[in-house]
Amino acid sequence: MMAKGFKQPLILLLIVVSSTLLHSERLQSPEANTLLRIRSLLNFPSVLSSWNKKTDFCNLEPSPTVTVVCYENSITQLHIVGHEGAPKLPSNFSIDSLVTTLSKLPSLKVLTLSSLGLWGSVPKQIEGLSWIEVLNISSNYLNGDLPKEVSSLTNLQGLIFDHNKFSGQIPDLFGSFPALNVLSLRNNCFNGSLPSSFSKLSGIRVLALANNHFSGDVPDLRRLKDLQELDLESNSFGPKFPQLGNKLVKLLLRRNKFRSSIPNDISTYYQLQKLDISSNKFMGPFPMTLLSLPVISYLNIAGNQFTGMLSRNMSCSDALSFVDLSSNLLTGDLPDCIILKSKYRDVHFEGNCLNVADGSQHAYAFCRNGALAAGVAPSRTEDRARKAVLASCIVSGVVGVTLLIVLVFWVLRRVIKKKKLKEKPSPRVIAEKASAGCSSKLITDARYISQTVKLGALGIPAYRTFSLEELEAATNYFNSTAFMGEGSHGQMYRGQLRDGSLVAIRCLKLKQSYTTECFMPHIELISQLRHRHLVSAIGHCFECYLEDSTVSRLFLVFEYISNGTLRNWISVGRARRRFTWSERIGASTGIVKGIQFLHAGPGIFSNNVRITDVLIDQNLAAKVSSYNLPLLAQNTDMVGHGALVGSQETRMDHEDKADIYDFGVILLEMIMGKPIKSRSELNITRNQVQATLAGDEEARRSIVAAEIQNTGSDQSLKTMMEICIRCLKDSSERPSIEDVLWNLQFAAQVQDAWQGGEHVNSNRGSPVSPPHLPRFRLTYY
Ligand SMILES: *[C@@H]1O[C@H](CO)[C@@H](O)[C@H](O)[C@H]1NC(C)=O
Ligand SMILES: *[C@@H]1O[C@H](CO)[C@@H](O)[C@H](O)[C@H]1NC(C)=O
Ligand SMILES: *[C@@H]1O[C@H](CO)[C@@H](O)[C@H](O)[C@H]1NC(C)=O
Ligand SMILES: *[C@@H]1O[C@H](CO)[C@@H](O)[C@H](O)[C@H]1NC(C)=O
């Protein structure tokens, strides 16, 4: 009781004292009323629940959510920060009224209205806030254009409109903000390119435009001497690296469409602490000096196409705490300075071609190839290192007709030899077109061949030349996702042309210097190799060296065969079913017809066809994708195939028999329905088949693929087994291609008759819609 009696007068006294002391600091009532009005316009947010008519605004304890700062009885700063994710204010909210009300605070210089659910587009009345210096209205729902009237806020030092719904292009009004040093428009829907007046923001320190839809090249920012932070993340800026001053501290270009190389002067960015240029298409050499910039602590170049060889002795900045080099085309050894301190550093380097044995790296060829595709054509020889590469192609004069790839020297030699035997005069007219350094024999031979080749209308697009741009567009600049595989004859990419058709593109880097004319005979031949059972070339493209116009790369564009390899349909793979016996006979016949065409037309032998080189199209027709192309063999310094070793005479006699043997191996796999991957497997299986040939039907049926056991007639099976065994004999005993074909056709007839009887198979011959694209490796040589 006594204590209570004491306390009350004490409290009273304190109130009297304080109100006396602070009287002179009290806000004038119009401004206090304005604040209360603002509270009501904001629909009484909970952070302002303590405000009332008696609140002494200038003496509120500042808090992270609400702060009022007064100077000489006027409000100079007002900060109201609502709850994160605050919902939109109700429909009776009026942004116009709010702005008009704010303009009644004549000394207000710094205003934050954040996370309060404001919505609507910024009204013209904004010009009434002309004395404002910092305006932060982030995390609301404001929309529409950035109003031109903003340009009347000439005292602006900071404009922060992050996390709203602003859209449209930025008006060209930044000539009028001499004092602006922070411009932050992150997370809106602005689009279009930046107006050139950005180059005039001479006082800017922070320019943050991340997460919008901006596009195009960044205006020249070299005059912005104070620029320290540039955040352009997640837009569509590009393709050129921005032009910048070298005082940058943070440079964030992640997820844009930059596609250039990095300028050398980046090594002069001595204040750079954070660099994130990941997930673009930057290419060219990775500037190693980035690792050793004096104060760099965060470096992320992941997901680009940087090339270059790292070495263990490279040096790194001591400040470096995060390094991500992953998914580029880097080779060499990881620098010691990165690994040794990796306990303290966040280091990522997977998806390159570095010498790191942890399974995280691609094969060296992937990077070399990617570098090529990115247009960084390494020069042919060291002394030509500085040679520019002209990335344009196109040779006129090829009137395209049909199919596949080129011939090797030995075919040429063979043809020449035949000619010598026949003492034919060489066609002079054509020979005269040969340019210096280019054998005229190539040209005469090609003419000889093209007269021989018969053409067929196969529903394949006419042969034509492609531009490099077209191929780049088709493969997304030879993106690694389009990479299908690599063989001794270059890399294979999958592409989609503008008309939607799929193609397979072989990229061939040339070792010798030839002019495009030298290739024309080959190209003409390729263009005519069209057959229902061959994968056809539909065009080509040359990339030439600028200096002497010799060819640096040759691209051959093939039809894309979408139904996987024959093996998928026979033994292992993802085809949804296995071929029936009739379909196997049909595929065998297709392969033999394809080979026969190569032999009889251009005289292309020893094609080294494997079951994985036979592709299946949408109509389930077999197409041979691998042939012995002279140009390719020559380019890879392959003198010839193993089958050809021996005297010329032997070669002449048996040159067509190597393909027969290879066909026998394929046929054996089709009969047995299991992959044959080694010579011993082959011998065992062949002996097994041979043994059952002498036995009864039961024995034969017991060893063949399950799919054949009940869908094949015994006589057709026996015929196929016999021809298979003959194909696998020594070369002198092998049947001719015509003999093989005759036997296959006989087997097909027998099988048809048998099926026409009691064993009707409803499945037979029906076209199959393509399943999802299988992953397989085309060889196409
Ligand atoms: C707006 O509507 C809400 C109810 O949705 C009401 O509580 C509030 O008083 C209204 N505010 C104004 C300024 O009319
Ligand atoms: C804008 O206001 C929000 C909310 O208070 C704050 O988090 C942010 O840092 C401010 N932005 C700037 C650039 O001052
Ligand atoms: C920008 O977005 C608006 C819609 O917000 C659209 O009408 C306009 O065409 C876009 N401009 C560009 C250059 O994309
Ligand atoms: C680093 O090592 C490479 C060979 O791995 C050598 O060519 C280069 O000169 C060395 N550089 C320095 C700075 O020691």
Side-chain angles (χ1 to χ4, degrees):
M1 283 289 263
M2 275 203 26
K4 212 177 178 184
F6 251 127
K7 236 181 187 171
Q8 279 171 345
L10 189 62
I11 290 170
L12 258 176
L13 180 68
L14 277 176
I15 291 171
V16 172
V17 172
S18 66
S19 63
T20 316
L21 277 176
L22 298 174
H23 185 258
S24 61
E25 303 274 333
R26 254 204 119 96
L27 201 54
Q28 287 163 5
S29 58
E31 294 209 356
N33 286 342
T34 301
L35 289 183
L36 293 172
R37 170 87 179 126
I38 288 170
R39 177 174 79 134
S40 128
L41 287 170
L42 295 175
N43 204 22
F44 306 97
S46 58
V47 291
L48 302 182
S49 57
S50 62
W51 283 8
N52 59 45
K53 281 191 180 136
K54 297 196 182 124
T55 306
D56 178 5
F57 291 102
C58 289
N59 289 291
L60 287 173
E61 187 68 31
S63 79
T65 53
V66 183
T67 300
V68 180
V69 177
C70 304
Y71 180 72
E72 293 183 345
N73 294 336
S74 282
I75 298 178
T76 54
Q77 295 194 29
L78 174 62
H79 302 266
I80 308 173
V81 180
H83 297 295
E84 201 181 324
K88 265 190 184 179
L89 288 171
S91 59
N92 59 6
F93 167 73
S94 162
I95 182 81
D96 296 25
S97 311
L98 180 64
V99 171
T100 311
T101 307
L102 286 166
S103 66
K104 292 181 184 149
L105 299 173
S107 306
L108 189 62
K109 296 214 159 38
V110 180
L111 173 64
T112 302
L113 296 174
S114 189
S115 303
L116 292 168
L118 311 185
W119 58 269
S121 54
V122 176
K124 282 202 201 105
Q125 290 91 311
I126 188 96
E127 58 194 4
L129 303 178
S130 60
W131 49 86
I132 204 112
E133 291 173 0
V134 177
L135 180 58
N136 182 348
I137 49 171
S138 54
S139 304
N140 286 294
Y141 301 87
L142 295 165
N143 61 13
D145 290 338
L146 191 67
K148 290 208 178 56
E149 287 73 19
V150 167
S151 62
S152 41
L153 311 185
T154 50
N155 296 312
L156 268 184
Q157 295 173 16
L159 188 65
I160 299 104
F161 283 10
D162 296 346
H163 291 280
N164 276 284
K165 311 248 176 255
F166 288 106
S167 61
Q169 282 179 252
I170 304 262
D172 198 0
L173 46 79
F174 290 103
S176 45
F177 298 107
L180 191 61
N181 62 50
V182 176
L183 176 62
S184 189
L185 307 175
R186 288 183 176 106
N187 295 80
N188 281 285
C189 307
F190 287 115
N191 66 5
S193 53
L194 297 186
S196 56
S197 59
F198 268 75
S199 320
K200 298 184 188 148
L201 288 169
S202 53
I204 199 100
R205 267 189 315 107
V206 176
L207 183 54
L209 307 174
N211 291 296
N212 280 284
H213 306 304
F214 290 116
S215 56
D217 277 325
V218 180
D220 186 348
L221 304 182
R222 281 174 298 184
R223 281 165 54 195
L224 314 190
K225 294 290 180 214
D226 297 325
L227 188 60
Q228 295 183 353
E229 177 176 345
L230 180 62
D231 179 2
L232 306 180
E233 265 189 53
S234 300
N235 281 285
S236 300
F237 284 115
K240 286 213 232 55
F241 192 87
Q243 298 176 286
L244 304 166
N246 65 0
K247 298 248 181 74
L248 278 168
V249 175
K250 271 191 199 177
L251 177 56
L252 312 176
L253 304 180
R254 183 181 166 77
R255 283 207 219 155
N256 274 282
K257 301 213 164 131
F258 291 109
R259 209 159 55 71
S260 61
S261 52
I262 303 282
N264 288 333
D265 73 356
I266 198 149
S267 56
T268 67
Y269 290 19
Y270 60 97
Q271 303 194 35
L272 197 60
Q273 292 173 8
K274 179 167 182 179
L275 178 66
D276 188 345
I277 54 175
S278 58
S279 304
N280 280 285
K281 295 228 170 64
F282 281 117
M283 51 183 150
F286 164 58
M288 313 280 176
T289 48
L290 286 178
L291 285 168
S292 55
L293 286 177
V295 289
I296 188 119
S297 65
Y298 181 106
L299 175 63
N300 188 347
I301 64 158
N304 283 291
Q305 300 183 330
F306 283 116
T307 54
M309 187 185 276
L310 305 183
S311 60
R312 298 188 53 177
N313 58 7
M314 289 169 55
S315 57
C316 312
S317 157
D318 286 339
L320 209 51
S321 61
F322 178 100
V323 185
D324 191 345
L325 309 176
S326 54
S327 301
N328 278 286
L329 304 170
L330 301 172
T331 57
D333 297 308
L334 213 50
D336 284 343
C337 65
I338 290 189
I339 319 171
L340 294 181
K341 287 208 200 151
S342 64
K343 252 191 262 169
Y344 317 103
R345 287 175 180 161
D346 208 351
V347 175
H348 307 265
F349 49 82
E350 63 276 4
N352 284 286
C353 306
L354 296 163
N355 301 328
V356 182
D358 62 357
S360 68
Q361 304 292 310
H362 295 289
Y364 175 73
F366 177 89
C367 292
R368 190 197 49 197
N369 165 61
L372 277 176
V376 194
S379 54
R380 280 167 291 186
T381 55
E382 310 259 337
D383 59 311
R384 287 182 145 188
R386 275 160 291 128
K387 208 176 213 192
V389 171
L390 172 63
S392 97
C393 335
I394 308 192
V395 175
S396 56
V398 177
V399 182
V401 189
T402 354
L403 183 62
L404 259 145
I405 300 209
V406 190
L407 296 183
V408 186
F409 266 164
W410 86 245
V411 174
L412 298 172
R413 263 187 255 127
R414 173 177 168 272
V415 175
I416 293 159
K417 198 170 171 194
K418 274 189 184 171
K419 277 189 185 167
K420 274 190 197 146
L421 291 175
K422 294 177 192 167
E423 307 238 323
K424 261 195 188 172
S426 55
R428 243 168 232 301
V429 180
I430 294 182
E432 276 164 14
K433 283 196 208 152
S435 58
C438 188
S439 159
S440 62
K441 285 186 189 110
L442 292 181
I443 293 178
T444 57
D445 293 338
R447 182 162 178 270
Y448 166 79
I449 291 156
S450 64
Q451 287 165 345
T452 318
V453 177
K454 293 190 195 82
L455 308 176
L458 300 166
I460 301 160
Y463 191 94
R464 66 181 174 101
T465 53
F466 285 82
S467 69
L468 188 56
E469 289 72 27
E470 215 173 343
L471 300 185
E472 285 175 345
T475 54
N476 194 11
Y477 295 93
F478 295 93
N479 195 296
S480 48
T481 56
F483 183 65
M484 294 166 74
E486 177 172 33
S488 52
H489 297 315
Q491 300 83 34
M492 208 73 197
Y493 289 88
R494 177 172 35 233
Q496 186 163 30
L497 300 180
R498 219 165 301 146
D499 67 4
S501 58
L502 291 171
V503 290
I505 302 171
R506 173 166 290 289
C507 165
L508 190 70
K509 179 101 177 70
L510 298 167
K511 290 185 179 167
Q512 286 106 332
S513 303
Y514 288 123
T515 61
T516 51
E517 293 96 87
C518 294
F519 289 102
M520 295 328 289
H522 295 104
I523 294 293
E524 189 183 347
L525 172 65
I526 291 172
S527 74
Q528 300 191 356
L529 284 175
R530 292 197 167 192
H531 187 273
R532 181 166 142 71
H533 295 292
L534 292 183
V535 176
S536 306
I538 57 176
H540 71 278
C541 165
F542 287 119
E543 182 196 64
C544 304
Y545 287 95
L546 253 184
E547 201 166 275
D548 56 8
S549 332
T550 59
V551 178
S552 61
R553 284 191 292 173
L554 169 61
F555 298 91
L556 292 167
V557 183
F558 293 91
E559 55 175 336
Y560 185 82
I561 308 299
S562 59
N563 247 339
T565 71
L566 178 58
R567 179 170 273 169
N568 284 339
W569 292 85
I570 295 300
S571 48
V572 290
R574 327 190 183 153
R576 61 189 162 76
R577 66 176 178 86
R578 301 274 185 256
F579 272 174
T580 63
W581 181 233
S582 298
E583 285 166 339
R584 286 171 205 232
I585 301 176
S588 311
T589 311
I591 298 167
V592 173
K593 284 182 173 170
I595 294 173
Q596 190 187 29
F597 174 84
L598 291 171
H599 288 188
I604 300 179
F605 297 92
S606 294
N607 295 289
N608 201 13
V609 181
R610 288 157 299 171
I611 192 164
T612 46
D613 298 329
V614 178
L615 305 182
I616 301 299
D617 75 4
Q618 296 188 24
N619 302 315
L620 300 191
K623 284 177 173 261
V624 177
S625 72
S626 158
Y627 4 87
N628 186 9
L629 297 170
L631 170 64
L632 301 180
Q634 174 190 343
N635 189 57
T636 49
D637 299 336
M638 282 170 57
V639 176
H641 287 75
L644 301 177
V645 178
S647 76
Q648 293 241 322
E649 284 315 309
T650 324
R651 215 169 64 185
M652 288 291 284
D653 289 347
H654 302 301
E655 63 191 2
D656 58 335
K657 296 298 173 69
D659 286 337
I660 302 285
Y661 182 86
D662 291 337
F663 169 72
V665 177
I666 297 175
L667 184 53
L668 190 59
E669 181 161 337
M670 284 206 276
I671 292 171
M672 304 302 278
K674 61 182 181 204
I676 295 170
K677 289 177 171 165
S678 67
R679 186 155 284 274
S680 63
E681 263 175 26
L682 173 68
N683 289 338
I684 293 167
T685 319
R686 183 192 53 203
N687 294 342
Q688 214 179 350
V689 169
Q690 187 142 28
T692 65
L693 270 178
D696 58 5
E697 177 174 347
E698 201 64 19
R700 276 189 290 279
R701 287 200 190 280
S702 69
I703 62 161
V704 299
E707 294 79 16
I708 306 177
Q709 282 169 4
N710 299 313
T711 64
S713 84
D714 182 54
Q715 192 174 3
S716 70
L717 184 55
K718 200 172 167 194
T719 308
M720 295 285 277
M721 283 177 162
E722 275 165 1
I723 196 71
C724 177
I725 297 299
R726 287 175 61 206
C727 290
L728 296 174
K729 290 189 187 254
D730 285 344
S731 62
S732 59
E733 294 175 66
R734 285 175 210 155
S736 69
I737 191 95
E738 288 73 25
D739 195 0
V740 175
L741 193 55
W742 188 90
N743 274 280
L744 295 182
Q745 284 166 344
F746 175 73
Q749 271 175 23
V750 174
Q751 172 68 10
D752 272 355
W754 183 79
Q755 275 185 344
E758 67 267 46
H759 295 90
V760 177
N761 183 347
S762 61
N763 239 348
R764 208 175 136 256
S766 60
V768 175
S769 57
H772 63 282
L773 295 179
R775 279 186 212 184
F776 57 86
R777 198 167 142 245
L778 288 176
T779 49
Y780 289 89
Y781 41 47

